Amino acid sequence: MSGPEVGDGRPALEQRITLALTAKDYNAATTLVLEGYGREIGAFLANLHRDGSADEVFSAFAETLWRVAPAFKGESSVRTWAYGIARRVSKHHRRTTRRRERRFEVFADLPALADVEARVRTETMTFLRTDTRSKLVALRDQLERDDQVLLML
């Protein structure tokens, strides 16, 4: 996936990204990394996150890549550097997911309370039910435009 090489032995994509980073054009550099290596890094993350969270992790990777682009020192290839970012983002996602799961195991010892919590959380509130909402919308539509806006605020 390295592509054609340029005179100094580096793939052309690597050179273009490095030039963008050197010129401090981080948006262009990030775009080039995502266009050039995004698919393979996405596949890498999909293999690591078979639970369906790969898209979320890839988004976090892209954001992190853009944020840390100014820190690229050229001590490795851009591809290696990008994979390192992807691995760190993946690890962070797994760690925070485990923490979040542990935090929501509060009612593990109290199944009756867990059932109540789940029922209350999933029941549709009265004012959000379709029939009630329709009546509220009809009432709101009877108001003048300025009053409608105030009511929505």
Side-chain angles (χ1 to χ4, degrees), residues 30 34 45 57-67 85 89:
T30 302
L34 292 174
L45 291 172
V57 177
F58 185 83
S59 293
F61 157 73
E63 180 182 333
T64 302
L65 177 72
W66 176 77
R67 196 171 6 91
I85 293 169
V89 168

Side-chain angles (χ1 to χ4, degrees), residues 127-153:
F127 72 93
L128 292 176
R129 293 186 185 142
T130 304
D131 58 333
T132 306
R133 277 182 54 177
S134 298
K135 290 175 187 174
L136 289 172
V137 168
L139 284 172
R140 186 186 68 211
D141 288 344
Q142 293 174 9
L143 297 171
E144 293 180 25
R145 185 71 185 142
D146 290 342
D147 291 335
Q148 288 180 20
V149 171
L150 284 173
L151 186 59
M152 284 187 269
L153 293 174

Side-chain angles (χ1 to χ4, degrees), residues 7-19:
D8 62 2
R10 290 184 303 155
L13 176 61
E14 287 282 324
Q15 185 181 42
R16 289 174 51 213
I17 296 168
T18 303
L19 287 172

Side-chain angles (χ1 to χ4, degrees), residues 24-142:
K24 298 184 181 194
D25 188 354
Y26 304 118
N27 289 336
T30 302
T31 300
L32 287 167
V33 170
L34 292 174
E35 288 175 349
Y37 301 124
R39 282 190 179 87
E40 70 179 90
I41 291 175
F44 170 71
L45 291 172
N47 282 323
L48 291 177
H49 297 273
R50 295 177 188 218
D51 61 353
S53 65
D55 289 341
E56 182 181 342
V57 177
F58 185 83
S59 293
F61 157 73
E63 180 182 333
T64 302
L65 177 72
W66 176 77
R67 196 171 6 91
V68 302
F72 180 73
K73 293 181 175 66
E75 296 171 350
S76 66
S77 70
V78 174
R79 182 174 180 265
T80 300
W81 176 70
Y83 267 93
I85 293 169
R87 283 192 306 274
R88 283 189 297 281
V89 168
S90 172
K91 184 177 178 181
H92 177 74
H93 176 80
R94 284 194 173 145
R95 189 172 43 243
T96 57
T97 299
R98 283 193 299 271
R99 286 180 189 157
R100 195 171 30 252
E101 287 170 354
R102 282 194 306 265
R103 192 172 55 224
F104 289 110
E105 289 177 359
V106 176
F107 299 126
D109 297 338
L110 305 167
L113 192 53
D115 290 342
V116 170
E117 182 270 335
R119 188 179 69 247
V120 169
R121 181 174 33 84
T122 58
E123 279 181 359
T124 304
M125 291 183 258
T126 305
F127 72 93
L128 292 176
R129 293 186 185 142
T130 304
D131 58 333
T132 306
R133 277 182 54 177
S134 298
K135 290 175 187 174
L136 289 172
V137 168
L139 284 172
R140 186 186 68 211
D141 288 344
Q142 293 174 9

